[in-house]
Amino acid sequence: MSTADQYVIDLAAPRREAQFPHGILVKFSEDAEFLFPAELPADALDPILSEDLDLVGLLGDLVQAQGRSAVDEIIELLFRRPRLPKLFLNVVKETYKVLLGEQQFADFIAVRPSVPDYVRLTIGLVRVYGVDLGKLFGSADSSETDGETSKPTSADTTSSTPEESGSAPETAASSESAD
């Protein structure tokens, strides 16, 4: 028996077949490029999921703000959580440090990325990594309902629905053409 036959699940195989097996090369400027890991390491989400940031609570507050504009609610949340903008920026930087490693992160900070740079880069990485933060923070019981299940409006069936797949329904004699 070969060693490959011993594994029930081989996580190395999908990683070798990743679209970017050597990493995701990002050109920041003519003089600066950075190599992000080919797959998103789980610990890169730790800063985003920190209790200090309380992103889940923040999203919960936004969801509960029904009927108000998103801008109004965000402004109110910022007043209730004045540390949030600085904390969020620190969390983003911590996440990039996990992704890039100490040396590349120091080089990245040295090129002085702007807020729009962070936004564009994060959006691009989210697309490449295929991460949907909405699914990460989705409620486990979001598909449950307290309402009654629907009932058919009629127990009768119609003759216009064909019995076999692909067969045509019968047509009335008046619509047949004369030869």
Side-chain angles (χ1 to χ4, degrees):
M1 178 188 278
S2 72
T3 56
D5 295 332
Q6 294 176 2
Y7 300 111
V8 174
I9 298 172
D10 182 2
L11 291 179
R15 288 184 178 161
R16 284 191 304 269
E17 297 169 7
Q19 185 178 1
F20 307 100
H22 302 292
I24 301 165
L25 189 60
V26 173
K27 183 176 183 175
F28 189 82
S29 67
E30 291 300 319
D31 302 325
E33 58 184 38
F34 302 97
L35 188 64
F36 286 80
E39 291 187 334
L40 182 65
D43 61 345
L45 297 176
D46 289 347
I48 296 169
L49 299 175
S50 74
E51 290 181 24
D52 278 347
L53 182 61
D54 189 28
L55 195 54
V56 174
L58 180 68
L59 292 175
D61 288 349
L62 283 173
V63 168
Q64 290 178 358
Q66 298 171 348
R68 296 174 43 173
S69 78
V71 172
D72 290 343
E73 183 58 25
I74 290 169
I75 290 170
E76 185 175 319
L77 285 173
L78 289 175
F79 282 117
R80 281 189 271 156
R81 301 172 187 204
R83 293 181 44 231
L84 187 62
K86 184 167 179 74
L87 185 60
F88 188 75
L89 184 58
N90 288 339
V91 163
V92 169
K93 287 179 180 179
E94 286 178 45
T95 302
Y96 277 87
K97 186 183 283 187
V98 171
L99 291 172
L100 292 170
E102 293 286 335
Q103 183 57 53
Q104 269 202 109
F105 180 71
D107 296 342
F108 179 73
I109 293 299
V111 297
R112 303 193 63 211
S114 66
V115 171
D117 290 334
Y118 277 108
V119 171
R120 285 188 298 268
L121 181 56
T122 301
I123 289 170
L125 288 172
V126 164
R127 282 188 194 130
V128 173
Y129 286 136
V131 175
D132 184 346
L133 291 178
K135 288 181 183 176
L136 281 176
F137 298 113
S139 170
D141 62 350
S142 63
S143 62
E144 293 177 10
T145 180
D146 292 333
E148 292 182 31
T149 57
S150 63
K151 296 178 182 148
T153 56
S154 169
D156 296 336
T157 60
T158 63
S159 62
S160 64
T161 305
E163 288 292 323
E164 295 178 27
S165 175
S167 64
E170 293 179 22
T171 57
S174 63
S175 64
E176 292 178 8
S177 61
D179 289 80

